[in-house]
Amino acid sequence: MDASLLPVAGVREPVGPRAGERFVVRGGGCGMAQLHAGDAITIVDPEGLQAAHLFAIDVTGRPAGAGLGLDGAEGESLSVVLAAGGEGATDIARLLSARGVDPAAQKAVPVLAAQEEPGRSVTLTSATDLMVVISAPGVAMAPDEQAPPTELLVSITRIPGAEVPLPPPLGAVKLDLRVPAAEARVYTVKAGDYIQIIDVSGRQCSDFLAFDAAALERGQEYGLDATTTRTLMGSAYPGPGLHSKYYDERQVALVETIRDTVGRHDTFALACSAKYYDDMGYPGHANCSDNFNAVLEPLGIKPKRGWPAINFFFNTGIDHTNALTMDEPWSRPGDYVLLRALTDLVCATSSCADDIDSANGWEPTDIHVRVYDGAENFSKGTAFRMNAEAEPRLTRESAFHPRIAEKTRNFVEYRGFWLPTCFTGEGPIAEYWACREKAAIMDLTPLRKFEVTGPDAEVLLQRTVTRDIRKLTVGQVVYTALCYEHGGMIDDATVFRLGPANFRVVCGEEFTGKWLRDKAAEWGLKAWVKSSTDQLHNIAVQGPLSREILSEVMWTAPTQASITELKWFRFAVARIGGPLGAPVVVSRTGYTGELGFEIWCHPKDATAVWDAVWAAGEPKGMKPLGLTALDMLRVEAGLVFAGYDFCDQTDPFEAGIGFAVANKDEDFVGREALLRRKANPARKMVGLIVESNEDVGHGDPLYVGRAQVGVVTSATKSPILKANIALARVDVAEAETGRTLEIGKLDGLQKRIPARIVPFPHFDPQKTRVRA
């Protein structure tokens, strides 16, 4: 096993240096890397207040801090760090044991102190070959605390001329196969085994073929069929999750996608062929189809002038003119697709030979294939990046997932987490009515949480959000927008005030935390913005009976409001079941338009919290609720959704949340633009009653005659209103209540559906239910 292989949280996942030479050490966890003489390692604390400890170990297993120029200062032993059980600890302990290294003999050297500012870093150069373990020390954060351990960013600069390393293997490797640039290789895979196809240097396409091995032995060729796959999976190409399989022409699944760190591939075009290069003026050019023919010929597989392959990392699309377009791949060094064989296979993988256009970034490079045993247990996931520079993080399960997975297999990736769309044996309609008439429980862990603290915390938020934070009292929550200078929205959020200089921002975008941190640095404010998403997982309990249910579950101290006393947009610190129960924060907030609460806890307490709420709620008719039903509820209630009802080209007034822009006399980001846009509105958010039962959806254009005057932002069939309803952004000249517009279908002109403008929101516009 490679020294940089660090499976995380019980699943094998690399958190050591990959071909990009960067990796992340999660807060409270640790990571490992292999250094050679002359290599430099840089450790960055991006959020501030996070210590970094380093253990240097030489090839004999002895402490070797001097090899990095570190003095003899010693802290806790590595055995204590590993015993704490943070991310990566279990597998580092196993690896050190296999190498005969005694963790108790390794002592930490602090290289970054916890009191340092965001962005502080340290760079160390190795004088010899070393293993290093980097620790981001910290303890579990209680829901009413604000000191989460946060991530460290680690990068390694190799000596000039050093070979670009492969990412560490995900497990025990059965086959390590390099496919040189512009060549192809053939290999066999047993049913159940995993195939990892790695882009070694980035921006390199890799065509993939797979044949049913048993059928080949009978003289029959059944390989992957892109058309069958697209039809059965309902997408341009399968991804990790429920709809993950690639099929042959018999509609038999041959492989399934387990992981994908890129998210952009092609199933429309052939593997490149001689004809393509002949037509472009490059006769005799190497090509993937001929390369496949050469390696498959010994197996008796018939040649093709152009192979209909699965083209991993090939960046194609269909544009508005119906043309098949192509650009450089999204893949970066070390990115990969992980497949699982569903039967014995004969596979072929190419490194695409195209060097005459941008398909491979103009320079073909190597592809690497690894095969792992089917006994391995790899998590499923798609890579999520906070921004273009961030390291990928695979889709993860919330701490409530074990309980939810008992009730459904219908999960989708949502902002880096697996969330249920609906529940087996219930379905969205039943879940919806449970929330409207009784109660529902749902997992909303993907919300991003940030602890904003420090003497200037109030100033930072006052200058960055649209609400007047100075009016927010301790124990109160407020809904707000955050905007760019031009008035376009970054995000919407709820802000909790935990103390005079203590706030918690709960929002949708991970970028929001970085933006706040950047603003604090720009203005020289003494305020810290620390991510606590991994320390706070949360469920919502919504519906008319939610107060009654939680009154049986929650204990609050005399200094805190009880559940029955808790007012709208207030929160309390509580415990489950009694004064010694699991600590939680409970807020009277939600996203359904019903009386409801949200419960925030540390992941270690999540199953206990779920079990207690479920035990109290199930006898009263409470049901679990998925994303499909949640969308019905929030559209009825006029609650906006990022990417649908607002974006960076939409101001809060156009998004229908102008009430969240306070008339405060202090400057804040976007204030002048918002004043201008409020005085001269161009578009308005309205409600629509659609005079048809035909489906309408996000992006459908709205017309008056031939002129487009607006767009549908969200839509649903409302069970309680017995109507097809929508939210829409409309030109103010055409936004009068009672006016009838037309929704354009097909090309927007051939088919029109009438829709009448009605007051917004559709359901309970006076908010009587949430205020109850």
Side-chain angles (χ1 to χ4, degrees), residues 389-461:
E389 292 76 35
E391 285 297 285
R393 189 172 189 183
L394 288 170
T395 315
R396 52 204 192 272
E397 299 171 354
S398 83
F400 302 104
H401 187 88
R403 295 296 184 262
I404 296 171
E406 295 172 355
K407 304 177 188 301
T408 185
R409 292 180 297 276
N410 295 293
F411 289 93
V412 295
E413 191 277 338
Y414 178 76
R415 296 187 185 274
F417 286 83
W418 291 115
L419 283 192
T421 55
C422 60
F423 286 82
T424 306
E426 296 294 346
I429 299 299
E431 298 162 24
Y432 165 92
W433 282 113
C435 188
R436 285 281 181 247
E437 296 178 340
K438 295 179 181 179
I441 181 172
M442 72 200 79
D443 184 1
L444 293 179
T445 295
L447 289 171
R448 269 35 182 187
K449 301 98 181 176
F450 299 97
E451 309 302 318
V452 183
T453 60
D456 295 330
E458 183 183 75
V459 175
L460 173 62
L461 292 178

Side-chain angles (χ1 to χ4, degrees), residues 255-565:
V255 297
E256 65 173 324
T257 307
I258 303 299
R259 292 182 180 176
D260 182 358
T261 69
V262 179
R264 178 58 68 92
H265 312 284
D266 172 76
T267 61
F268 290 91
L270 295 172
C272 66
S273 65
K275 177 173 171 48
Y276 172 69
Y277 296 105
D278 291 348
D279 291 347
M280 296 295 292
Y282 296 89
H285 195 287
N287 64 87
C288 291
S289 290
D290 285 348
N291 288 340
F292 280 142
N293 289 334
V295 298
L296 294 173
E297 182 182 14
L299 301 176
I301 296 176
K302 299 174 184 177
K304 294 183 184 291
R305 291 178 61 83
W307 274 98
I310 305 303
N311 307 309
F312 289 125
F313 316 132
F314 191 21
N315 179 12
T316 63
I318 307 295
D319 72 8
H320 67 284
T321 69
N322 203 34
L324 181 64
T325 63
M326 173 266 294
D327 204 343
E328 293 184 9
W330 288 5
S331 53
R332 307 182 189 196
D335 271 335
Y336 65 90
V337 172
L338 182 68
L339 309 170
R340 188 170 195 180
L342 300 177
T343 189
D344 289 354
L345 298 173
V346 171
C347 301
T349 292
S350 77
S351 168
C352 182
D354 190 348
D355 60 358
I356 67 170
D357 54 40
S358 60
N360 299 306
W362 302 94
E363 183 182 2
T365 53
D366 293 357
I367 291 292
H368 197 88
V369 177
R370 284 176 174 150
V371 176
Y372 306 99
D373 191 270
E376 296 285 355
N377 180 26
F378 297 122
S379 66
K380 296 182 178 182
T382 300
F384 173 85
R385 282 183 168 91
M386 179 184 75
N387 55 48
E389 292 76 35
E391 285 297 285
R393 189 172 189 183
L394 288 170
T395 315
R396 52 204 192 272
E397 299 171 354
S398 83
F400 302 104
H401 187 88
R403 295 296 184 262
I404 296 171
E406 295 172 355
K407 304 177 188 301
T408 185
R409 292 180 297 276
N410 295 293
F411 289 93
V412 295
E413 191 277 338
Y414 178 76
R415 296 187 185 274
F417 286 83
W418 291 115
L419 283 192
T421 55
C422 60
F423 286 82
T424 306
E426 296 294 346
I429 299 299
E431 298 162 24
Y432 165 92
W433 282 113
C435 188
R436 285 281 181 247
E437 296 178 340
K438 295 179 181 179
I441 181 172
M442 72 200 79
D443 184 1
L444 293 179
T445 295
L447 289 171
R448 269 35 182 187
K449 301 98 181 176
F450 299 97
E451 309 302 318
V452 183
T453 60
D456 295 330
E458 183 183 75
V459 175
L460 173 62
L461 292 178
Q462 185 74 351
R463 292 184 185 179
T464 51
V465 307
T466 57
R467 289 283 197 173
D468 191 343
I469 294 299
R470 297 192 192 279
K471 292 183 177 180
L472 196 65
T473 62
V474 174
Q476 190 176 6
V477 187
V478 69
Y479 175 74
T480 187
L482 300 93
C483 298
Y484 291 106
E485 288 288 1
H486 72 282
M489 288 180 63
I490 299 170
D491 207 347
D492 62 345
T494 50
V495 179
F496 293 59
R497 187 162 203 160
L498 283 74
N502 303 77
F503 301 85
R504 177 171 294 153
V505 175
V506 179
C507 57
E509 294 294 333
E510 193 130 356
F511 170 74
T512 299
K514 181 181 185 303
W515 184 77
L516 289 170
R517 203 174 300 121
D518 290 346
K519 287 300 179 185
E522 178 185 333
W523 296 327
L525 300 179
K526 195 169 185 179
W528 288 269
V529 182
K530 303 271 283 177
S531 174
S532 56
T533 303
D534 288 345
Q535 297 286 313
L536 283 175
H537 288 196
N538 53 294
I539 54 174
V541 182
Q542 305 279 296
L545 301 184
S546 58
R547 181 190 286 124
E548 180 182 337
I549 291 167
L550 293 188
S551 294
E552 299 177 13
V553 174
M554 298 291 174
W555 176 89
T556 54
T559 56
Q560 298 286 321
S562 68
I563 294 299
T564 56
E565 296 169 333

